Amino acid sequence: MNNKKHNKNYIYQFMRCIYWKYEFLQKLRQNLQRIRISLKEYISECCNSRHNKKFLDSLTSRRNDSYALHTARRSKVVREWPNLDISIVTYNSSEWLDNFFSSLLTQHYPLKIISLYIIDNGSTDETVNKIQKFFSEKGKYFAATFFAQQKNLGFGAGHDRALRQGKNVYALVTNVDIEFLPSSLCRVMEVALSDTAGAVGSWELRQFPYEHPKHYDPVTMETSWSSHACILLRRSAYEKCGGYDTAIFMYAEDVEISYRLRSYGYILKYVPSASIWHHTYSDGNIVKKNQYIGSIIGNMYIRLRYGNCREIFIGLLHGIAFMCHSHPFPNARKILAKSFFSMILRLPKIRGMKGTAQALYPFRGFDYELRRDTTLIAAQPLSEEQSSLPTVSALIRTYKGRGFMLKQAMQTIFNQTYPHIELVISEDGGNYLQKLVEEMAWQAPEGVKIRYLPNPRQGRSAIGNTALRAATAPFFFFFDDDDLLYADHIETLMQGLLAHPECVVAYAPGLEILTDINIDEKQYKEKKYMRFDALSQEWDYDILLNYNFIINTAIARRELYIKRGGFDTSLEFLEDWNLWIRYGFKNIFYYTPKTTALFRTPSDPSNIIKRNKQFFNAYGESKKRALLSIQSYENSAT
């Protein structure tokens, strides 16, 4: 087996040398890649909405909006919690109610200012009895309670009736197959209260064990649509847009009202610091009949309302394809055909009801938003007792002219769900960015402590080592000033390290963003989001010796730096690969397949060739110096 791997590596190295020796091969490869990408984009445009990329661009443009950044943060001081309505719809929900009610009673949010509104959609089990018993025994702890029974008119119709009973500024819509964490309501309300202008229409809570894999902007925490398994709504926004569309019985009603809220000019926020348990899945890959059919029907309905003629036509083609496709459930084809025909007849009515704001509505087949991951990955929330969690040092290397990107990278640290972070910013070539860092420090959340280190011109490796020497936490990671982190990046990797003490580094794949950066004009243009299978690599030291599959946002134990040093300052390129080779020797790294970061590479083909050539030229030296360092470890050990 080792011989096979050795031969494979030898062939790989030989082909690399041939490739970089002849420039025409490099240009040929780039041209073939451009053709492949163009073809893929053309096919994607044919199958999906042209709004997809435009919407991502619109999210990106708002990263410079100070209010968009302000409303992504939790209010530091809440002097008085606002009254809150909670809307609940039940249907044969007996098995979930005990845990749901118990978790509600443990809320840090004052129960005396919470009004409960429950609508039962014709349950035939013990649901009604359990609700009545809870209200008779615990109703006195709440500001008000309301319970009504009706025939099963669907999720949206039930919640609409409940919400119309309330009157408070904020209303929480929730499933009953969820359990609140004690801090859930306080955390989501802290973010909601930062929006004093009424610009935000809803705040979505994060779900455990399976977080929805859709992309959200990690800087502003804005998204194109929100799951309504548990969501805080601004009542005035809900009423202005007309409430849930009762024509959608179940599934996709949350996407529809999300799009409608945006059609009235509202922004949607994701709040991963506010978490709940959602018990709808025992496994992330389960396919449910009602969800499967409901999602397809709902997508077509939403296309008919928000899509243009082209997107509606594409939706019809998708529908026809589904009619001819085999389905995991019997009678699915018949149900879909009947529903599609019914929608076409009601087209004039469906096209109404939306607002006049110039909003963009993504469609990706029978999905909507770009996905972070290819599969749902089980996770668990951090302990409510967070004081015992160790601090992590986040180390950013930057230099003059990069402030507009550094600010956004810092914001993604502020958005982290992990509570204890030491942010060390090391600037190469002066103190040009000191004022910006000091201004941002005033906006940092309580758990983030910021240190700024100006340096003379030394290079990336040297200023990285300066940051490493200054860091004080038992764990650290680097990320460049143009990298972005999803809010759970540190949390996800630290949970892996703490659960696996035998591992010295934790890493995860990232989304690559092909980007044109203009330093002079202080702006960038994101061309394409890409996911590479090569970065979704389980730990294998032999593979690491041939190419770097670990992006620089991996978290390492500080003891590694103490024992094996920092960056090799003689290296200008591939210094991170050199570091991982040295740290990985006779060690184990923890890998999670969840995408937790975004990193940028140039989009211009000539820049790509230039960059890759620099990496190739540095390849041999970087590996050689790493192996020499490893040899010194071996010699010192003996």
Side-chain angles (χ1 to χ4, degrees):
M1 187 71 179
N2 288 332
N3 287 335
K4 286 183 180 179
K5 189 177 285 188
H6 176 76
N7 291 336
K8 186 178 179 181
N9 292 340
Y10 180 80
I11 293 170
Y12 176 74
Q13 297 303 332
F14 177 75
M15 295 301 293
R16 279 173 59 91
C17 292
I18 294 295
Y19 172 75
W20 287 109
K21 184 176 180 180
Y22 299 103
E23 190 171 336
F24 82 91
L25 290 176
Q26 300 158 33
K27 291 182 178 179
L28 176 63
R29 179 172 176 264
Q30 288 299 319
N31 288 331
L32 289 174
Q33 281 187 336
R34 290 176 69 184
I35 292 170
R36 181 179 61 82
I37 291 171
S38 297
L39 255 172
K40 191 175 180 181
E41 287 179 346
Y42 177 76
I43 294 170
S44 177
E45 281 192 3
C46 289
C47 299
N48 299 321
S49 171
R50 289 174 179 168
H51 284 180
N52 296 351
K53 179 63 171 61
K54 291 178 181 178
F55 179 76
L56 289 175
D57 289 342
S58 71
L59 283 186
T60 300
S61 68
R62 289 183 50 76
R63 292 173 185 167
N64 296 317
D65 186 318
S66 59
Y67 194 71
L69 301 184
H70 173 73
T71 53
R73 306 174 191 132
R74 292 160 54 188
S75 299
K76 292 187 176 181
V77 179
V78 178
R79 301 189 184 280
E80 185 177 0
W81 295 109
N83 290 358
L84 175 66
D85 295 332
I86 297 182
S87 171
I88 303 160
V89 174
T90 57
Y91 174 72
N92 290 337
S93 308
S94 176
E95 64 176 309
W96 308 112
L97 285 174
D98 291 340
N99 289 336
F100 173 79
F101 285 140
S102 294
S103 69
L104 181 58
L105 292 172
T106 64
Q107 286 304 287
H108 297 155
Y109 205 89
L111 298 182
K112 64 182 180 180
I113 58 173
I114 294 176
S115 298
L116 295 182
Y117 299 91
I118 303 181
I119 303 297
D120 182 73
N121 276 347
S123 294
T124 56
D125 62 359
E126 288 298 306
T127 297
V128 172
N129 291 336
K130 285 190 174 184
I131 294 170
Q132 291 173 337
K133 181 181 179 183
F134 178 78
F135 275 1
S136 65
E137 294 178 356
K138 307 295 183 182
K140 60 187 177 183
Y141 297 119
F142 297 90
T145 59
F146 174 86
F147 177 56
Q149 295 173 263
Q150 63 182 26
K151 65 179 182 179
N152 192 358
L153 301 175
F155 179 93
H159 276 297
D160 190 68
R161 181 177 177 185
L163 290 166
R164 301 292 179 184
Q165 304 296 321
K167 60 182 179 181
N168 290 318
V169 174
Y170 300 99
L172 186 88
V173 168
T174 182
N175 288 6
V176 290
D177 59 351
I178 69 111
E179 288 181 63
F180 297 104
L181 301 182
S183 62
S184 297
L185 298 183
C186 289
R187 290 282 179 86
V188 71
M189 191 61 79
E190 284 171 343
V191 176
L193 291 175
S194 68
D195 175 30
T196 55
V200 182
S202 68
W203 298 263
E204 177 189 358
L205 286 80
R206 179 184 178 190
Q207 300 175 36
F208 283 99
Y210 299 107
E211 181 180 17
H212 197 286
K214 72 175 185 291
H215 167 75
Y216 58 88
D217 189 89
V219 180
T220 65
M221 307 305 291
E222 294 178 7
T223 184
S224 65
W225 71 275
S226 303
S227 166
H228 280 222
C230 191
I231 191 163
L232 184 68
L233 296 171
R234 184 182 297 281
R235 177 175 296 280
S236 58
Y238 179 82
E239 293 177 348
K240 183 177 180 180
C241 78
Y244 286 108
D245 186 342
T246 57
I248 301 178
F249 183 81
M250 192 174 183
Y251 295 111
E253 76 289 324
D254 48 5
V255 181
E256 192 286 318
I257 196 171
S258 296
Y259 279 12
R260 190 143 35 88
L261 283 165
R262 292 200 297 105
S263 78
Y264 278 85
Y266 290 101
I267 296 161
L268 313 180
K269 292 281 186 176
Y270 181 49
V271 189
S273 60
S275 304
I276 57 153
W277 284 101
H278 189 192
H279 301 295
T280 185
Y281 296 105
S282 58
D283 181 273
N285 296 311
I286 285 178
V287 178
K288 294 183 175 181
K289 178 180 179 180
N290 289 340
Q291 184 178 28
Y292 175 82
I293 295 174
S295 297
I296 295 171
I297 294 171
N299 182 280
M300 191 65 225
Y301 188 92
I302 294 168
R303 279 179 180 270
L304 291 174
R305 172 164 290 162
Y306 298 98
N308 54 32
C309 292
R310 179 181 176 278
E311 288 156 358
I312 293 171
F313 178 70
I314 291 171
L316 290 172
L317 292 180
H318 280 305
I320 293 169
F322 262 87
M323 301 301 295
C324 302
H325 190 268
S326 60
H327 297 282
F329 307 106
N331 298 322
R333 188 175 289 108
K334 182 178 179 181
I335 295 170
L336 291 173
K338 183 178 178 181
S339 299
F340 289 159
F341 183 72
S342 175
M343 281 189 278
I344 297 299
L345 293 179
R346 293 185 291 128
L347 184 58
K349 184 176 181 180
I350 292 173
R351 289 296 289 181
M353 205 172 172
K354 61 179 182 286
T356 58
Q358 296 299 309
L360 296 165
Y361 310 108
F363 292 100
R364 297 173 187 269
F366 281 104
D367 205 344
Y368 305 93
E369 188 50 272
L370 175 76
R371 291 172 70 90
R372 287 175 60 183
D373 308 302
T374 55
T375 57
L376 290 170
I377 299 161
Q380 61 180 6
L382 292 169
S383 168
E384 289 281 315
E385 182 50 56
Q386 298 182 348
S387 59
S388 61
L389 292 172
T391 301
V392 177
S393 295
L395 314 176
I396 302 181
R397 297 173 286 185
T398 190
Y399 55 90
K400 181 182 178 182
R402 310 271 293 185
F404 67 104
M405 288 185 292
L406 173 64
K407 183 177 180 180
Q408 295 173 10
M410 291 178 69
Q411 179 66 36
T412 67
I413 288 291
F414 297 170
N415 292 339
Q416 290 297 298
T417 56
Y418 194 82
H420 308 307
I421 304 172
E422 175 189 49
L423 177 56
V424 181
I425 299 167
S426 188
E427 181 177 353
D428 193 18
N431 61 347
Y432 298 99
L433 300 176
Q434 182 171 356
K435 184 177 179 182
L436 181 147
V437 173
E438 290 173 348
E439 290 173 353
M440 288 291 290
W442 283 101
Q443 302 164 25
E446 183 179 355
V448 178
K449 308 303 179 187
I450 298 178
R451 302 177 65 188
Y452 170 75
L453 307 173
N455 301 277
R457 178 69 66 186
Q458 301 177 69
R460 281 169 53 82
S461 295
I463 65 165
N465 288 340
T466 300
L468 269 170
R469 286 191 295 270
T472 61
F475 299 87
F476 72 89
F477 73 98
F478 283 94
F479 74 117
D480 291 333
D481 54 15
D482 59 353
D483 291 339
L484 302 172
L485 305 177
Y486 286 113
D488 62 335
H489 173 76
I490 299 178
E491 173 194 317
T492 299
L493 297 189
M494 281 302 296
Q495 284 184 321
L497 278 177
L498 296 175
H500 297 85
E502 74 281 6
C503 295
V504 296
V505 170
Y507 68 101
L511 282 177
E512 180 178 3
I513 314 175
L514 300 182
T515 311
D516 281 342
I517 299 176
N518 190 320
I519 296 294
D520 295 332
E521 296 184 11
K522 297 183 179 180
Q523 63 182 17
Y524 57 79
K525 184 72 173 176
E526 294 181 349
K527 298 290 188 178
K528 188 174 180 60
Y529 286 65
M530 302 180 71
R531 181 183 291 104
F532 286 103
D533 292 339
L535 296 178
S536 299
Q537 171 65 53
E538 293 276 0
W539 172 243
D540 188 317
Y541 188 68
D542 288 335
I543 293 177
L544 181 67
L545 285 173
N546 287 298
Y547 75 86
N548 186 17
F549 54 80
I550 300 175
I551 60 176
N552 64 351
T553 52
I555 296 182
R557 297 183 188 273
R558 183 170 177 78
E559 63 195 51
L560 281 171
Y561 164 65
I562 295 170
K563 292 178 180 178
R564 299 187 177 180
F567 292 115
D568 186 330
T569 54
S570 70
L571 298 174
E572 188 176 355
F573 300 100
L574 298 182
E575 77 286 351
D576 54 341
W577 182 46
N578 173 281
L579 190 77
W580 300 133
I581 291 175
R582 289 189 283 119
Y583 284 5
F585 178 67
K586 290 188 176 180
N587 281 323
I588 302 172
F589 287 12
Y590 171 82
Y591 168 71
T592 176
K594 186 173 188 179
T595 302
T596 61
L598 304 98
F599 63 97
R600 301 184 193 279
T601 56
S603 63
D604 182 78
S606 60
N607 287 338
I608 294 173
I609 290 177
K610 179 182 176 182
R611 180 173 178 266
N612 288 343
K613 200 161 213 174
Q614 290 169 332
F615 287 163
F616 174 76
N617 291 335
Y619 180 89
E621 184 67 14
S622 179
K623 183 174 180 178
K624 179 178 124 181
R625 294 189 66 82
L627 295 177
L628 285 172
S629 295
I630 288 170
Q631 188 177 1
S632 70
Y633 305 153
E634 292 278 77
N635 292 338
S636 62
T638 56

